Amino acid sequence: MDSSDAASGGPAGAPLVVVANRLPVRCVEHDGEMRWDLSPGGLVSALTPALAGGAGMWIGWPGDGVDLAVPAEHAGIELRAVPLDDAEFEQFYLGFSNATLWPLYHDAIRAPTFHREWWYAYMSVNDRYARAVAEAAAPGATVWVHDYQLQLVPKILRAMRPDLRIGFFLHIPFPPQELFLQLPWRRPIIEGLLGADLVGFQVQGAASNFSRVARRVVGASGTDAVLDFDGRRVRVGAFPISVDTTALIKRASDPAVQGRARQIREELGSPDVVMLGVDRLDYTKGIDRRLIAVGELFAEGFLSTSRAVLVQIGVPSREEDPHYRREREHLEQLVGEINGEHSSVGRSAIHYLYQSVEVDELVALYLAADVMLVTPLRDGMNLVAKEYVACRVDATGALVLSEFAGAARELRDAAILVNPHDLDGLKQAIRHAVDLDPNEGTARMRRMRRIVRRHDVQAWARTFLAALHADSSHISTTPDPG
Ligand code: F6P
C-alpha cells in the first residue's frame, strides 16, 4: 500500500495508532437521545492525551447492537470502527475470545472450548483489524495493539507494513505452558504475537510464561526478556497497568462525592463496618467464595447485621454466554440464601446490585467502604484494588486482595493477601481486615497509596511507549517486587 493514500489520520496517516477490541467511546442515552461518550476507565484517560489533536487514531469495535454511526472523531481522538456481524460476534467475540482464550488464560477455571469455526472467525477478524491499521498508519508510525482478542494482528500487520513499530500489550494473564499447550492453534498465536517489536504483560510471571512457550513452540531463542525469531529481535517485559490516580483523587476529594459516601452509609443503616465487592460478573472473580466466607462469618456470629454489611456490585458482562448466565444464577441463589438466613427486617446482610455504576457513585462506594474485598481466582491485574487505594484520600480502609491478582505483585506488603480457594484463610483475612488496628491500617494504606501515586496509568503508558521506542535490547519496566 502507498501510505500517502492512507484514508485517515490526515493525508499522511496517523503517527500513533491504538488498536483494541473496543473503541474508547460508548453509546449512551441522554434525555431520550443516543449519543457517544468517552468510556470511563484508565486506558482511555491514559491514551487520550497522546492521541488527541490529530496525533493519533483508535481503531476498534463499537459494541454489540449499536445502530448509531461512529463519529470520525470524538474528544479530539480520530476513531475508526471495525464492525462485527452477528456470526463474528458469536464466533470471534463470544466464541474464540471469551469461551476459548478467556478461560484458558485464566487457569482453565472453566473448561475452554475449542471449535475450528471460532478459530477461522478469529483469524478473519484479526485480519480485518490489521488491514484497518495498515490503511490508517503513517509511514514509520507507532502501533499499539491491545489484548487477547487481537493476538494475530502484530504478525499480519508486519507483513503488510514492515515500516511500523508495533507494540502489543496483554491485559489478562498469560498461562503456564501446561495450559497453553492445549490450544490447537498455539503456534499461530505465538507467531502472531512475535510479529511485535515489544510484547508486554502485566507481571513478570506472564512474560516468562510467554517466552518459555515461544522457545518451545516456535523455536525462538533467547532469554525471557529478549527473543530472536525469524531473523528479528522481539523484546518481552512486564508493564503493570494502573489507574488514573490524579482523576480518582480529585473525585474522591469532591465534597459532593464525600457527602454521597456518608449518605450511602446511612442508607445501609450506619453499620460499624461496610464491606464492598465490585466486579464484572465473571466466574474468574471468585465472588462465590467471597459470599460463602461472609455467609459463614454471619452464621458464626462474628458478623451481625447490626454491625456489618456487604455491598456486592456485579457489573453485567457477556450475558449471552451460558457460563456467565449460570454464574449469575449461582451468585443470586447464594445471596438469597445468606440474606434469608442472616438478615433482619430493614437490615440485609448483603446488598447485591446487578448493574453498572457511574464513576462518581463508584468512588462514593469506595469512600463508604471500610473493607474492600478483591478476591479473584485469577486476574491479569485487577484495577478495582488500585482504584480503591487511590480513592482512600484519608488513608483509612483495608484491602483484602487475592494473591492471584496481578495487583498483588505490587501491593503484597500492605494489602491483606489471601488465597481465595482457601475458605478458612479467606474468613481469617476478612476478620483481620474488619478488626484491623486503625494505626496499622493507615500505615498499610499509605504504603499502597505511594505505589498507585507513583505508578499511575499515565506512567504505565509512557513506560510502555518509551520501551517500544528504545533501541537497546534491555528494557527497563516498572519494578516488579519479586
Ligand atoms: O480485562 C480484559 C477485558 O477485555 C477488558 O479490556 C474489558 O474491559 C473487560 O475485559 C470486559 O470485556 P468485554 O469487552 O468482553 O466486555
Side-chain angles (χ1 to χ4, degrees), residues 279 284-287 290 373-377 400-402 418 420 426:
D279 308 85
T284 59
K285 301 291 183 183
I287 307 171
R290 184 187 312 163
L373 302 177
V374 180
T375 58
L377 304 175
V400 174
L401 179 60
S402 164
V418 66
L426 189 48

Side-chain angles (χ1 to χ4, degrees), residues 20-22 40 43 61 93-94 97-98 102 106 146-149 170-173 202 280 282 285 316-318 324 379-382:
N21 182 47
R22 285 187 190 269
L43 185 61
W61 177 51
Y93 173 77
L94 288 177
S97 297
N98 289 315
W102 181 267
H106 286 86
H146 289 264
D147 229 353
Y148 61 103
Q149 302 93 345
L170 186 71
H171 290 251
I172 69 171
Q202 300 278 23
R280 244 177 352 88
D282 194 298
K285 301 291 183 183
S317 183
R318 305 175 191 159
Y324 287 74
D379 214 329
M381 177 52 62
N382 197 296

